[in-house]
Amino acid sequence: MHYLDHNATSPLRPESLSAMTHALTISGNPSSVHANGRAARAIVEEARERVAALAGARAEQVIFTSGATESNNLALFGAAEGSLADDSKSETRRITRVFVSTIEHNSVLVAAGRLAERFPWIRVATLPVTANGVIDLEALRVALREGKGRALVAIMAANNETGMVQPVAEISQLAREAGALLLVDAVPAAGKMLLDFSFCDYMTLSAHKLGGPQGVGALIVADGAPLVPQLVGGGQQKGLRAGTENLSGIAGFGAAAHSLRDAEGERARLAHLTDHFELALKRAIPEAIVFGEGFKRLCSTTCFAVPGVTAETALIGMDLDGVMMSSGSTCSSGKVAVSHVLVAMGVDEALASCALRASFGWSSTMNDVTAAVASLVKLRERVRAHSSNGKEAA
Ligand code: PMP
């Protein structure tokens, strides 16, 4: 089997598995004061340190959640509500404008839409991207100048479908100059590039994209940034996210984050695999197109198309060869739809329907690259033979 779908979910790292199995043997609630409770608490706090280190943040800024979907929802709703409580006398502190880029994950796009329904004074606007999938800074600059009240900008550090790295430092500077808050979805970027939380007010992470388990993530919140909890009940996590912590999930997340602490070598290895994949693909299939080629992309992600071979055909064909990839957004897995990210980049629908994503990670090898290219070559031959037979018959 050749698994090239790490942006959907990265296989569980052995370090995470062993941290999780150990955590499962601790029969204690992290909030209990007895010895077992303290042992559970120590696991949670060690993981918090490790996740904070991955993001360049402090442990006390990390809130564990059930994944990045919850984190993005918590950040958007929590900030909007928090900005009301923040300083009710000052209208300028109230969030009235939310800017999201067109290439965000649905957990940001859909939540932002809901935000405008729940808080009618909030106007949500989308920021365009350039043909290379990079957020248009000029559009952001203009957008931030208009309107009263505080703005919240939500962007990703790098795109999960194309791997395009976004200009977070520049966006952060524009946001700061305008007094706006900045939420950075760092899910695909974490471990694949250095993260610097000092640019952000909120940052989201997801364990299962790093080789940790599914169903656990984090929201990192800067000191003083408004946040009203969206899950209420117990006083866990300083009251910011009620509910007994997912002990084994958090332990696995912490272990995955820890294994990425000096990941320079690993990033170079992934870049080598990605480069090799693209070279071999273009050598074997000269008409293949790599989206965002020549621009700054994650070391581990390539979004490409073989014109004439639809993603649907390719995914089924490759699956038969034991090669696993994605088309479009993987969170809606099982559904082969044209990617909203490619549409935002102005890619025409016919080509976008052929778009595939290969994403590499800790378990990927050169063997996977070779098998994937061989399978694609076979498919392209089969599709060609099929269409020339069709022509003859016609
Ligand atoms: N943001 C991005 C950019 C993602 O790729 C994903 C998952 N595909 C999420 C958020 C949601 O993460 P989770 O699966 O942890 O809810």
Side-chain angles (χ1 to χ4, degrees), residues 7-9 65-72 103-108 156-161 185-189 204-209 213-218 329-332 357:
N7 286 18
T9 279
T65 64
S66 65
T69 297
E70 183 190 330
S71 301
N72 281 331
I103 58 167
E104 292 312 300
H105 186 262
N106 273 339
S107 56
V108 167
M156 20 171 69
N159 185 262
N160 50 313
E161 295 184 33
D185 180 337
V187 169
T204 54
L205 296 173
S206 178
H208 72 108
K209 312 286 179 165
Q214 295 167 335
V216 58
S329 178
T330 51
C331 287
S332 43
R357 178 188 67 191

Side-chain angles (χ1 to χ4, degrees), residues 268-358:
R269 192 184 77 84
L270 293 177
H272 179 64
L273 289 180
T274 308
D275 288 349
H276 195 82
F277 174 78
E278 291 180 3
L279 272 173
L281 176 75
K282 295 197 96 174
R283 201 174 295 140
I285 309 178
E287 73 274 21
I289 290 164
V290 173
F291 298 103
E293 195 174 17
F295 288 82
K296 205 168 167 196
R297 287 180 288 145
L298 289 180
C299 58
S300 56
T301 306
T302 178
C303 184
F304 65 97
V306 178
V309 181
T310 64
E312 199 160 7
T313 307
L315 288 185
I316 297 166
M318 283 193 289
D319 201 31
L320 292 172
D321 288 340
V323 175
M324 289 169 264
M325 276 190 205
S326 263
S327 76
S329 178
T330 51
C331 287
S332 43
S333 56
K335 185 180 86 185
V336 183
V338 172
S339 147
H340 71 286
V341 175
L342 294 177
V343 170
M345 287 164 67
V347 176
D348 78 67
E349 279 222 12
L351 186 59
S353 70
C354 297
L356 293 164
R357 178 188 67 191

Side-chain angles (χ1 to χ4, degrees), residues 200-274:
C200 326
D201 296 290
Y202 310 91
M203 181 186 277
T204 54
L205 296 173
S206 178
H208 72 108
K209 312 286 179 165
L210 306 172
Q214 295 167 335
V216 58
L219 177 67
I220 310 180
V221 185
D223 305 346
L227 192 82
V228 163
Q230 302 298 302
L231 269 184
V232 293
Q236 293 91 348
Q237 305 204 68
K238 293 188 268 174
L240 290 172
R241 201 273 187 183
T244 302
E245 295 87 343
N246 170 1
L247 187 61
S248 70
I250 289 170
F253 188 7
H258 192 57
S259 63
L260 284 162
R261 64 197 177 285
D262 295 311
E264 275 305 312
E266 176 61 0
R267 285 196 275 272
R269 192 184 77 84
L270 293 177
H272 179 64
L273 289 180
T274 308

